[in-house]
Amino acid sequence: MPENKANQIRIYLKVMASSFIILGLLVVGAGVATHVIPAGQYADEVRDGKTVKVYRQVDPAPVPVWKIVLAPILSLTGKNGPKIIVLLLFIVFIGGSFSVMLKAGIIPEILNRLTRIFADQQTTLLVVTSIIFALLGSCLGILEELLPLVVIMVPFALRMGWDSVTGFASVMLPLGFGFASAMFNPFTLGTAQRLADLPLFSGLFLRVPLFLITVVVATLYLVRYVRKIEKDPASSPTHAMDEQVRPFLAPEKSNESIHNLTAVIIYILICFAALAAVVAGGPVVPLLQDLAFPLIMLIFLCMGIGSGLIAGAGGKRVFQYFFRGMGDFAGAIPIILMAFSVGYLIDIGRVMDTILFYLAQKMAGMGPHGGAVALYFAQMMINFFIPSGSGQAALTIPILAPLGDLIGISRQTVVLAFQMGDGFSNMIWPTNALLLIGLGLARITYKDWFRWILPVQLVLMGVCIAFLLIAVSIGYA
């Protein structure tokens, strides 16, 4: 086996190993939980002319050992099965398209031009893109739709003299934190406010400062890290792997040139315009939002194969590159299945509602300030099992909003706690399949990412608690 291929395999195995171990323990823990925690269910009940959620224990549903072992496969039969299948196709198609553009020499040529253009404006570029991505996450609820940009930004970061963490974080940090500090996010904020009987996007006077502070903290953290890497590249947690990956950014044949690069760039820009139309139209056109992932997948498929053909790689080689790339990224499939299987086990074991019921009972005995902070941490924990923001809102808001009324927490504050507890933890929980996909694309181990993002997460946790205490004190409504 050629030495470079062996190095590539070692890199990939190292990236995946920590995720396998962590998720394996979580799958076992979720299975055991179904044997320990009583099964229960919330059901709608009409009281005094109003529909309320009432908790009742139901027949135990402990998950047998064989189902725990096969949970990654069985998760395909659960309620998230179609979503999982789309994600699996998404990752391998993106991998195939990226492989074509890389091996045909397109990405290296484009990166050469970009690095020359932005050679003296590196920090400015980082700040501007961070603000743009944060606004997209905060105002349009865009997060997973721009995940494929990781395969562009990581090589770009490496060519700029940075590292894979910078490339990944330059996309996902502002998107994720902008999503968490939402001002107009229609999917989490909009859904939660509707369920809490609040005017759509109300309470903006407190959400705008939250967004601004979040963007400043995240951008300063990223810029400070980049300057550290520029002074001491070896301090990067991915330095060893990055040094092995850099050679793969070159075309397969060093003497191969792209004679019609301008046509290739125009074609790629057209594809990105189509991608922008899908992303921007999602919040406005419900059908477009439902089909966002398949459409984005199709656009990248056309981008990869089309650009390879225009670049003159030839049909045979283009498809060789494409299928080789699909194979390289197929290793992420078990990780995605394991991430979803944790929630699958909790769901079929019928213990999620019981966990929520006990959390609500505990918070009922706290004062408004303590209850608001406890609600924030409760949402973080629930997000561990239910990574879907709108799914979380549908489960928790109808229960916790009336509870907030009883203990003196305004419904606007309940929604704020939900929004922050759900959003910020998306960037740290290993059960978030999209995070693991992104880390796999960037070839970053979960352990390295956790260590890197933990300091800024702790700072923003303090910001979130401060905003919740302020919200309770002013009667945020």
Side-chain angles (χ1 to χ4, degrees):
M1 180 181 293
E3 183 181 354
N4 63 346
K5 186 65 176 177
N7 287 337
Q8 191 176 23
I9 291 174
R10 281 196 294 270
I11 293 169
Y12 202 77
L13 290 177
K14 182 176 180 180
V15 169
M16 293 299 173
S18 63
S19 297
F20 267 115
I21 294 171
I22 293 168
L23 287 172
L25 294 173
L26 293 176
V27 169
V28 173
V32 171
T34 66
H35 291 260
V36 177
I37 301 173
Q41 189 173 11
Y42 275 99
D44 291 335
E45 188 173 299
V46 178
R47 292 183 178 178
D48 299 326
K50 293 183 178 181
T51 302
V52 296
K53 294 282 187 181
V54 178
Y55 171 82
R56 290 189 178 88
Q57 288 196 2
V58 296
D59 293 335
V63 180
V65 174
W66 70 270
K67 277 194 174 183
I68 298 175
V69 174
L70 296 178
I73 298 173
L74 294 175
S75 64
L76 292 170
T77 65
K79 61 184 181 182
N80 286 321
K83 179 180 179 180
I84 299 172
I85 292 171
V86 171
L87 278 174
L88 297 181
L89 293 174
F90 182 80
I91 184 71
V92 295
F93 276 26
I94 293 297
S97 298
F98 174 71
S99 176
V100 172
M101 292 188 289
L102 179 65
K103 297 296 184 181
I106 297 168
I107 288 179
E109 288 290 345
I110 292 176
L111 291 179
N112 279 334
R113 293 195 177 191
L114 289 175
T115 49
R116 287 197 298 268
I117 293 171
F118 295 106
D120 300 322
Q121 303 172 3
Q122 295 176 326
T123 302
T124 302
L125 175 66
L126 201 60
V127 172
V128 171
T129 55
S130 292
I131 293 172
I132 292 172
F133 286 147
L135 285 169
L136 289 174
S138 180
C139 298
L140 298 179
I142 292 169
L143 183 57
E144 60 265 25
E145 291 88 347
L146 294 184
L147 181 65
L149 291 184
V150 169
V151 299
I152 304 296
M153 291 304 294
V154 169
F156 178 66
L158 293 176
R159 292 299 297 268
M160 294 291 278
W162 300 332
D163 64 347
S164 294
V165 172
T166 303
F168 178 73
S170 66
V171 178
M172 298 309 295
L173 202 68
L175 275 176
F177 287 171
F179 186 94
S181 56
M183 295 184 290
F184 303 103
N185 185 335
F187 307 113
T188 53
L189 176 58
T191 300
Q193 288 187 323
R194 176 176 56 82
L195 292 169
D197 296 323
L198 293 170
L200 187 63
F201 305 138
S202 55
L204 198 60
F205 72 91
L206 201 58
R207 298 184 197 283
V208 171
L210 172 64
F211 171 75
L212 294 175
I213 291 173
T214 299
V215 171
V216 169
V217 170
T219 304
L220 288 177
Y221 186 74
L222 187 56
V223 170
R224 178 176 176 272
Y225 174 75
V226 164
R227 288 176 177 170
K228 173 186 173 184
I229 293 302
E230 289 173 344
K231 292 180 180 177
D232 181 16
S235 64
S236 165
T238 60
H239 176 69
M241 286 190 288
D242 287 343
E243 292 306 304
Q244 295 181 43
V245 168
R246 289 183 206 274
F248 296 118
L249 296 178
E252 193 167 77
K253 294 182 179 180
S254 58
N255 60 350
E256 186 176 1
S257 61
I258 301 176
H259 301 291
N260 47 351
L261 183 62
T262 301
V264 173
I265 292 175
I266 292 173
Y267 177 76
I268 291 175
L269 289 175
I270 292 173
C271 290
F272 271 110
L275 176 65
V278 171
V279 170
V284 180
V285 183
L287 180 61
L288 200 58
Q289 176 60 33
D290 294 337
L291 297 176
F293 255 104
L295 288 173
I296 292 171
M297 182 170 60
L298 180 62
I299 290 169
F300 269 88
L301 176 64
C302 293
M303 184 192 300
I305 294 178
S307 61
L309 292 174
I310 295 172
K316 182 179 179 180
R317 279 196 299 165
V318 164
F319 283 100
Q320 285 177 343
Y321 296 154
F322 182 79
F323 287 114
R324 190 183 304 168
M326 289 181 69
D328 289 341
F329 282 84
I333 291 176
I335 295 293
I336 298 169
L337 293 175
M338 290 178 73
F340 274 104
S341 64
V342 175
Y344 166 76
L345 291 172
I346 292 294
D347 181 55
I348 65 172
R350 296 190 287 186
V351 298
M352 190 68 249
D353 284 7
T354 301
I355 294 172
L356 181 57
F357 172 74
Y358 285 126
L359 288 173
Q361 292 294 103
K362 290 289 185 183
M363 284 185 284
M366 300 179 180
H369 291 85
V373 174
L375 179 58
Y376 161 70
F377 283 108
Q379 289 291 354
M380 285 185 64
M381 190 184 78
I382 293 168
N383 193 41
F384 184 86
F385 299 105
I386 308 175
S388 167
S390 55
Q392 261 187 80
L395 172 66
T396 62
I397 296 299
I399 297 164
L400 297 178
L403 175 65
D405 295 339
L406 294 176
I407 61 177
I409 302 174
S410 70
R411 295 196 169 202
Q412 199 72 263
T413 303
V414 170
V415 171
L416 182 64
F418 155 77
Q419 168 190 332
M420 296 188 299
D422 161 63
F424 287 105
S425 58
N426 281 330
M427 291 294 100
I428 201 166
W429 285 145
T431 50
N432 181 1
L434 289 168
L435 174 63
L436 296 182
I437 290 172
L439 292 175
L441 291 173
R443 301 184 185 275
I444 301 170
T445 67
Y446 174 76
K447 180 179 69 174
D448 287 338
W449 174 251
F450 182 86
R451 288 177 176 174
W452 185 86
I453 199 173
L454 185 59
V456 71
Q457 283 278 13
L458 292 175
V459 171
L460 289 172
M461 184 181 292
V463 172
C464 291
I465 292 173
F467 268 83
L468 285 172
L469 295 178
I470 292 171
V472 173
S473 298
I474 65 175
Y476 180 45

